[in-house]
Amino acid sequence: MSARRFIPISESVIALAIKIAEREGIPLREFIERVLAEVLKSMQYRSNVTEVLALSDLMDDLRKMGGALLPSDIVYKVIELLDDTHFNELLNAIKRSASWYGMLVRVKRGATVDVLKLVLSTWFPDTNVSVEAGSNGLFKVIVSSPRYSDRLTRLIEVVVTELCNSMGIKIEELSSEVGIVRALLRVS
């Protein structure tokens, strides 16, 4: 048996929901129930609803640009087996993809360190991405994984650099050692 509940929702949210429901060709009540059901299913495993929605959107954008989910162990082995010419081709392709992706993220989500952290965690799900606020508007970002080789560390450097550049985040310092990339960033 369904109970009726009255929940105040802003007119702007209702207007957007109506627009999307019409585009989908379904009644507003059904649209809202579907959306709420999917969000609640996701929240059973992750409690932060905005992160769940953001990750979903970020993954969809990665998929649209040709990204594929593959077992990381195999991907890492393949990267190590590439000769230098093919590895450089891979780095150039990654630069273009990260640049495009960073611009898209900047338009859709803004250019904050929290957004950058979420994007890096999406690109490299088996890494630890930590952010520390410093003084004078600086942030220290560390991307690390004990599983990363020199080549994988270089690849992360390229992604961090291109994402920051395309998002309008200034890199004050960038350093790395095997498995660890450190960046000192200024967000305006």
Side-chain angles (χ1 to χ4, degrees):
M1 181 166 118
S2 68
R4 292 187 181 258
R5 306 275 190 268
F6 294 98
I7 302 169
I9 300 174
S10 71
E11 287 300 317
S12 61
V13 170
I14 290 295
L16 184 56
I18 290 169
K19 181 180 176 182
I20 296 170
E22 286 175 352
R23 184 183 70 208
E24 297 293 317
I26 59 175
L28 178 61
R29 187 208 54 78
E30 184 179 336
F31 170 73
I32 289 175
E33 191 166 318
R34 282 184 190 178
V35 169
L36 185 56
E38 286 302 316
V39 167
L40 293 173
K41 280 182 203 173
S42 297
M43 287 184 67
Q44 289 179 30
Y45 306 104
R46 292 189 93 130
S47 60
N48 185 334
V49 68
T50 54
E51 185 178 338
V52 167
L53 295 172
L55 284 171
S56 173
D57 185 48
L58 290 169
M59 288 301 293
D60 190 49
D61 288 339
L62 276 175
R63 182 188 57 78
K64 287 177 184 172
M65 68 180 228
L69 291 176
L70 300 169
S72 59
D73 291 345
I74 301 301
V75 171
Y76 300 158
K77 286 178 186 174
V78 168
I79 288 172
E80 294 304 320
L81 292 172
L82 293 174
D83 62 32
D84 288 343
T85 300
H86 288 103
F87 179 68
N88 287 326
E89 283 181 35
L90 173 65
L91 286 180
N92 287 328
I94 292 289
K95 282 181 186 179
R96 288 189 304 275
S97 296
S99 179
W100 176 85
Y101 195 72
M103 285 186 280
L104 179 65
V105 166
R106 182 179 187 178
V107 168
K108 291 175 81 172
R109 304 201 167 282
T112 68
V113 175
D114 289 334
V115 170
L116 178 65
K117 179 180 179 179
L118 192 59
V119 169
L120 288 169
S121 296
T122 303
W123 271 60
F124 304 105
D126 61 346
T127 60
N128 179 36
V129 181
S130 63
V131 175
E132 297 175 19
S135 59
N136 301 323
L138 293 174
F139 293 88
K140 184 177 182 180
V141 175
I142 301 172
V143 183
S144 62
S145 175
R147 301 174 60 201
Y148 286 179
S149 64
D150 284 331
R151 280 188 164 187
L152 290 164
T153 303
R154 177 70 185 119
L155 192 135
I156 291 174
E157 277 183 0
V158 165
V159 170
V160 168
T161 300
E162 293 303 317
L163 285 172
C164 287
N165 288 341
S166 60
M167 291 175 70
I169 297 173
K170 186 174 187 329
I171 299 174
E172 298 285 338
E173 292 177 26
L174 183 69
S175 63
S176 65
E177 58 190 73
V178 176
I180 301 171
V181 174
R182 292 178 198 85
L184 189 62
L185 307 176
R186 182 176 307 279
V187 181
S188 20

